[in-house]
Amino acid sequence: MPKRKFTACGAIIPDGSAIKQVNKSKLHVAMLAVMLLLCCGYYSCSDNGKDNPDELTLEQLTEKAEKGKDWAQCALGKRYFDGDGVAKDYAEAVRWLRKAAEQGHAEAECYLGECYVHGVGVPQDMDEAAKWIRKAAEQGEAEAQYCLGLLYYNGAGVSQNQKEAVKWLKKAADQGYELATTYMEQMGLN
């Protein structure tokens, strides 16, 4: 299974003026959805070298996931999300991602949060998105830290708070996450 990389993050508005001039609720969510497409992009849901989920058959992966292996649950969720070797099924993807996320698997938490941002496999819910993205960010996932910074900056799923936005964006930037650095520069948050 090729590693997934979301690549459509072209909607960063340097001064935020367009958000203020249009119906904020619909555009706000749409803009965040586009900006958050890059979050959680390169995860492989591995178990730190013991088993490579990309090398397992669907049956082997399902067996491990059913036995409660969080990395296998995450990888199986991704396969259903991408339609990799199975019919694309967002509800099934969310089911497996949730199982892994509930065990504290940071990558699954980030993916599940992203599903809530976009309303894929679940109803769109920015509060729930922020909850899961925060869990991954608190575990040190740079992509999730970037996403949480965006949520704080825009007040989506959390109270708008520029200080918190900068805190999380800086954490991501300090790990070398270039989008966080670029975003902070474009928004004048350095």
Side-chain angles (χ1 to χ4, degrees):
M1 178 170 94
K3 291 183 179 161
R4 184 172 176 122
K5 181 182 179 192
F6 296 104
T7 57
C9 190
I12 297 172
I13 299 172
D15 67 358
S17 60
I19 289 175
K20 295 173 190 165
Q21 296 172 2
V22 187
N23 178 338
K24 193 170 183 175
S25 63
K26 287 185 179 180
L27 179 64
H28 201 256
V29 172
M31 292 294 293
L32 273 170
V34 172
M35 287 190 284
L36 292 173
L37 279 172
L38 278 174
C39 296
C40 311
Y42 266 125
Y43 292 130
S44 63
C45 299
S46 72
D47 71 340
N48 297 321
K50 296 176 187 167
D51 282 312
N52 181 346
D54 296 343
E55 295 174 0
L56 297 177
T57 66
L58 179 63
E59 294 75 26
Q60 291 169 321
L61 191 58
T62 301
E63 181 181 330
K64 290 180 184 297
E66 288 173 346
K67 288 182 178 177
K69 301 288 186 185
D70 61 355
W71 62 268
Q73 293 167 339
C74 179
L76 190 57
K78 284 180 58 185
R79 284 198 185 179
Y80 277 105
F81 190 89
D82 294 334
D84 182 17
V86 295
K88 195 176 274 197
D89 184 336
Y90 296 129
E92 190 67 4
V94 166
R95 184 173 83 85
W96 286 109
L97 290 171
R98 184 179 310 283
K99 285 178 180 274
E102 287 174 347
Q103 292 186 65
H105 192 279
E107 295 136 24
E109 291 168 347
C110 194
Y111 271 118
L112 185 58
E114 187 177 341
C115 288
Y116 279 105
V117 167
H118 299 288
V120 176
V122 292
Q124 188 176 46
D125 183 337
M126 295 306 287
D127 293 338
E128 196 69 9
K131 173 184 123 178
W132 289 108
I133 290 169
R134 173 185 299 287
K135 287 176 180 275
E138 288 174 346
Q139 290 189 59
E141 294 293 333
E143 293 88 348
Q145 292 168 341
Y146 167 71
C147 291
L148 188 57
L150 294 179
L151 294 176
Y152 271 112
Y153 187 80
N154 291 285
V158 294
S159 295
Q160 190 170 22
N161 184 326
Q162 187 168 335
K163 184 177 177 182
E164 280 294 300
V166 171
K167 172 183 131 181
W168 288 105
L169 290 167
K170 183 161 177 26
K171 285 181 182 236
D174 288 348
Q175 291 190 64
Y177 196 71
E178 290 183 34
L179 282 175
T181 304
T182 302
Y183 189 80
M184 289 176 66
E185 288 170 359
Q186 288 182 349
M187 300 306 280
L189 301 173
N190 298 15

